[in-house]
């Protein structure tokens, strides 16, 4: 590669040299999830959707992740209806969602018929790109959602959960990329949920994957540790095809780096971003007062907006660090924090180096705190860690420590097969259990994933309707209609 950095600087003839790099906008999903716990209502952003559609993004990430749960639980919105409404207004730009493979948008494994139905309905209601990942990068947890997405003519993007460990070598990542291509995925993504991937690591990883797979490669990171702008720059130089960014007013901190800034910088280096700068400004001007409102109400906390480099020292994601602090505070044992910081990587090693992403980050954190507080390591083992050790979440990236296995499971045997194969079909049973208030397959799916929350939502929907009927009868009687 040429190191002639000065040539053509600022004239659009730098390292990009006309190469395309495209953007996925995250303001409607990951940015909001990272900064304001996914509390943005549909009516707050409805009027900017047409403008977002005109920016020139590769895709608009707007659904999945925590949005589904939050819509039902806190916002009184039907997530499916939100998706249809977005689709009505965003006609050109592909809509993208995040799916946790066999866990869908919940926290446990669902039967294959439920997974297939969920994927089909997501596409029916307007999703074009489904980004699918598994916490352990166990492809058996992705195969059904990938094949169903492809069958329904959606784009099945498999995201690799990024982490570092002795077994997470470039060689192993390259093999994973080849396996993902063989699985039939449409594209690949490196998903660095904690923002700990350095520019140098990213450059090498993108190169290694590009040498081993022909699939388009996306890179996803967060600004948490301050690395993200540099990481994306190196991603672009190494040949990544798409990066994930957020409009500047909802960028930075635990969110993605700013769309406008990266478009500006990469454009000047000669990359063709395809983004319309004035359309970007229109969109950001819309979101700025919204952001200010969230700051004023305290929903957007200064803590999530800054840069926190601690995660780099401990190799523990920022969200997990604050969780460990909270656990120790609750036990009035904050003085044990240094011990827990030492114990956490040991637990991760014992468990076979799982990436520290939901739900593994919680499991490893709780176990580390327990090991330190009890004094006797693995004397207490949570239900979740036990089922992880039984193989119910999939295969650990490296072998689990045999002493830990013995201590936690005794003579109980672990499964080596695919856990979902042990589950009976779920759609019919879910439908029966959801009852008459579930009016569609979409409702049944909402119910299967979040039973209590969905049941309450259906009930409230019914009450609202009854109210409306009553109101129009009164109006009719008053001769107003
Ligand atoms: Co993310």
């Amino acid at each position: 590669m040429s190191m002639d950095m000065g040539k053509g600087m600022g004239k659009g003839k730098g390292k990009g040299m006309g190469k395309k790099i495209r953007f996925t906008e995250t303001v409607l999903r990951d940015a909001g999830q990272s900064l304001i716990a996914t509390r943005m209502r549909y009516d707050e952003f409805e009027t900017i959707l047409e403008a977002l559609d005109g920016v020139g993004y590769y895709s608009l990430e707007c659904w999945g992740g925590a949005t589904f749960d939050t819509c039902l639980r806190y916002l009184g919105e039907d997530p499916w209806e939100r998706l249809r409404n977005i689709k009505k207004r965003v006609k050109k730009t592909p809509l993208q969602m995040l799916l946790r493979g066999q866990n869908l948008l919940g926290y446990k494994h669902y039967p294959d018929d439920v997974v297939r139905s969920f994927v089909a309905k997501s596409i029916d209601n307007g999703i074009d790109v489904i980004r699918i990942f598994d916490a352990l990068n166990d492809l058996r947890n992705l195969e059904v959602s990938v094949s169903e997405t492809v069958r329904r003519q959606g784009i099945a993007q498999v995201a690799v959960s990024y982490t570092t460990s002795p077994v997470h070598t470039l060689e192993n990542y390259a093999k994973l990329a080849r396996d993902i291509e063989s699985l039939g995925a449409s594209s690949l993504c490196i998903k660095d949920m904690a923002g700990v991937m350095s520019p140098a690591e990213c450059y090498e990883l993108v190169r290694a994957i590009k040498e081993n797979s022909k699939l388009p490669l996306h890179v996803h990171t967060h600004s948490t540790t301050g690395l993200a702008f540099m990481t994306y720059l190196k991603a672009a130089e190494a040949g990544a095809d798409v990066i994930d960014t957020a409009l500047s007013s909802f960028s930075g901190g635990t969110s993605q780096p700013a769309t406008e800034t990266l478009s500006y910088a990469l454009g000047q280096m000669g990359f063709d971003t395809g983004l319309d700068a004035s359309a970007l400004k229109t969109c950001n001007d819309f979101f700025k007062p919204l952001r200010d409102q969230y700051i004023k109400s305290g929903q957007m906390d200064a803590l999530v907006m800054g840069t926190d480099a601690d995660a780099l020292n401990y190799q523990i994601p920022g969200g997990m660090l604050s969780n460990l602090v909270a656990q120790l505070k609750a036990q009035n044992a904050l003085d044990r924090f240094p011990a827990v910081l030492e114990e956490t990587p040991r637990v991760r090693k014992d468990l076979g180096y799982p990436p520290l992403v939901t739900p593994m980050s919680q499991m490893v954190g709780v176990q580390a705190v327990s090991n330190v507080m009890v004094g006797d390591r693995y004397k207490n083992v949570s239900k979740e860690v036990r089922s992880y050790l039984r193989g119910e979440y999939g295969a650990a990236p490296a072998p689990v420590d045999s002493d830990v296995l013995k201590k936690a499971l005794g003579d109980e045997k672990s499964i080596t097969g695919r856990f979902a194969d042990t589950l009976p079909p779920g759609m019919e049973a879910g439908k029966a259990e959801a009852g008459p208030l579930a009016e569609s397959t979409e409702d049944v799916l909402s119910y299967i994933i979040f039973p209590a929350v969905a049941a309450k939502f259906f009930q409230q929907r019914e009450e609202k309707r009854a109210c409306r009927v009553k109101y129009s009868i009164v109006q009719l009687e008053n001769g107003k209609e």
Side-chain angles (χ1 to χ4, degrees):
M1 194 191 73
S2 159
M3 297 304 285
D4 191 4
M5 312 272 283
K7 209 162 113 190
M9 244 171 62
K11 290 177 190 152
K13 282 183 184 161
K15 291 189 171 183
M17 292 183 297
K19 194 196 172 299
K20 266 201 168 63
I21 183 140
R22 304 205 62 192
F23 287 61
T24 288
E25 175 60 53
T26 67
V27 68
L28 300 182
R29 209 284 299 176
D30 207 0
Q33 184 170 327
S34 304
L35 294 174
I36 50 165
T38 324
R39 290 304 195 277
M40 207 187 290
R41 297 189 316 269
Y42 173 74
D43 62 12
E44 287 182 288
F45 62 77
E46 179 181 34
T47 54
I48 199 63
L49 288 170
E50 272 100 350
L52 280 168
D53 194 21
V55 170
Y57 295 116
Y58 165 79
S59 65
L60 190 57
E61 194 198 35
C62 62
W63 211 64
T67 62
F68 197 92
D69 185 7
T70 309
C71 274
L72 286 169
R73 195 185 297 263
Y74 301 112
L75 304 179
E77 281 183 45
D78 180 348
W80 301 98
E81 190 185 329
R82 171 187 281 216
L83 174 56
R84 288 191 294 272
N85 283 331
I86 297 174
K87 190 67 174 180
K88 260 187 237 157
R89 288 158 182 86
V90 180
K91 298 196 168 94
K92 295 181 291 194
T93 313
L95 299 184
Q96 184 169 321
M97 73 171 292
L98 181 69
L99 190 77
R100 288 194 278 269
Q102 205 73 26
N103 297 348
L104 298 175
L105 302 174
Y107 302 98
K108 61 174 199 178
H109 274 55
Y110 295 97
D112 290 342
D113 66 324
V114 174
V115 172
R116 286 193 188 280
S117 178
F118 192 89
V119 166
K121 285 295 167 193
S122 301
I123 293 175
D124 281 355
N125 283 278
I127 287 296
D128 301 282
V129 183
I130 308 191
R131 175 178 287 168
I132 310 165
F133 79 102
D134 175 64
L136 297 174
N137 294 323
D138 186 335
L139 298 188
R140 297 172 303 174
N141 294 333
L142 306 177
E143 60 192 34
V144 172
S145 35
V146 167
S147 79
E148 192 64 25
T149 304
V150 172
R151 203 165 79 84
R152 304 272 170 182
Q153 264 128 49
I155 295 176
Q157 177 175 116
V158 170
V160 171
S161 307
Y162 176 80
T163 189
T164 52
S165 86
V167 292
H168 289 89
T169 58
L170 280 182
E171 229 164 52
N172 284 344
Y173 275 122
K175 182 184 179 302
L176 192 58
R178 289 195 298 272
D179 292 346
I180 289 169
E181 192 167 351
S182 310
L183 193 68
S186 328
S187 57
L188 251 163
C189 173
I190 304 167
K191 177 179 163 65
D192 174 23
M193 47 281 163
V196 294
M197 178 166 57
S198 76
E201 287 165 344
C202 177
Y203 186 85
E204 287 201 326
L205 186 54
V206 169
R207 290 296 283 254
I209 291 178
K210 275 286 175 187
E211 276 162 23
N212 280 274
S213 159
K214 291 187 292 296
L215 295 180
L217 180 57
H218 299 229
V219 180
H220 175 90
T221 189
H222 288 252
S223 292
T224 325
T225 63
L227 292 171
F229 278 117
M230 299 178 280
T231 304
Y232 278 154
L233 217 56
K234 296 310 278 183
E237 286 183 5
D241 300 279
V242 183
I243 53 175
D244 288 10
T245 59
L247 282 170
S248 54
S249 51
F250 275 81
S251 75
T254 51
S255 175
Q256 272 75 45
T259 310
E260 301 96 305
T261 313
L262 272 153
S263 177
Y264 182 88
L266 289 170
Q268 209 169 67
M269 288 167 71
F271 286 94
D272 175 8
T273 68
L275 298 183
D276 179 337
S278 80
L280 275 175
K281 171 140 176 62
T282 304
C283 292
N284 192 56
D285 286 349
F286 173 89
F287 282 102
K288 218 185 258 176
L290 256 179
R291 187 255 332 252
D292 294 344
Q293 220 173 286
Y294 281 118
I295 292 175
K296 223 170 140 191
S297 70
Q299 274 177 293
M300 198 187 287
D301 192 286
L303 263 182
V304 299
M305 294 160 68
T307 303
D308 185 350
D310 278 350
L312 299 176
N313 294 324
Y314 306 126
Q315 288 292 312
I316 296 171
M320 191 175 161
L321 279 175
S322 44
N323 202 288
L324 291 174
V325 169
Q327 281 187 62
L328 288 171
K329 258 190 194 158
Q331 301 182 49
N332 217 350
L334 209 50
D335 59 314
R336 311 301 303 275
F337 190 50
V340 168
L341 284 178
E342 269 179 49
E343 177 64 7
T344 302
R346 279 203 292 260
V347 170
R348 184 167 170 249
K349 179 170 186 279
D350 292 340
L351 300 187
Y353 295 110
L356 294 177
V357 58
T358 302
M360 295 315 304
S361 47
Q362 289 83 347
M363 286 191 229
V364 169
V366 167
Q367 191 62 53
V369 169
S370 159
N371 285 358
V372 166
M373 296 305 292
V374 177
D376 185 359
R377 300 182 79 228
Y378 300 99
K379 186 163 189 286
N380 294 342
V381 177
S382 70
K383 189 173 120 255
E384 288 79 14
V385 170
R386 239 181 266 276
S387 47
Y388 168 79
L389 293 171
R390 275 196 297 265
E392 293 175 8
Y393 287 83
V400 173
D401 183 90
S402 53
D403 291 338
V404 171
L405 207 56
K406 188 130 192 36
K407 204 160 177 183
L409 295 188
D411 292 330
E412 216 182 321
K413 269 235 178 269
S414 307
I415 64 158
T416 51
R418 181 175 172 275
F419 181 62
D421 289 340
T422 67
L423 304 172
M427 284 308 288
E428 280 309 312
K431 194 177 167 187
E433 205 186 299
L437 287 184
E439 298 161 354
S440 59
T441 307
E442 284 84 345
D443 278 352
V444 172
L445 288 163
S446 301
Y447 179 85
I448 290 175
I449 305 176
F450 298 108
V453 175
K456 195 168 156 211
F457 174 81
F458 299 153
Q459 191 64 46
Q460 284 165 348
R461 180 172 66 187
E462 204 63 20
E463 283 159 16
K464 262 189 229 160
R465 265 189 213 142
C467 250
R468 268 204 298 273
V469 170
K470 221 161 144 191
Y471 179 69
S472 25
I473 291 171
V474 170
Q475 279 192 322
L476 271 176
E477 282 170 353
N478 292 346
K480 278 177 188 163
E481 264 189 48

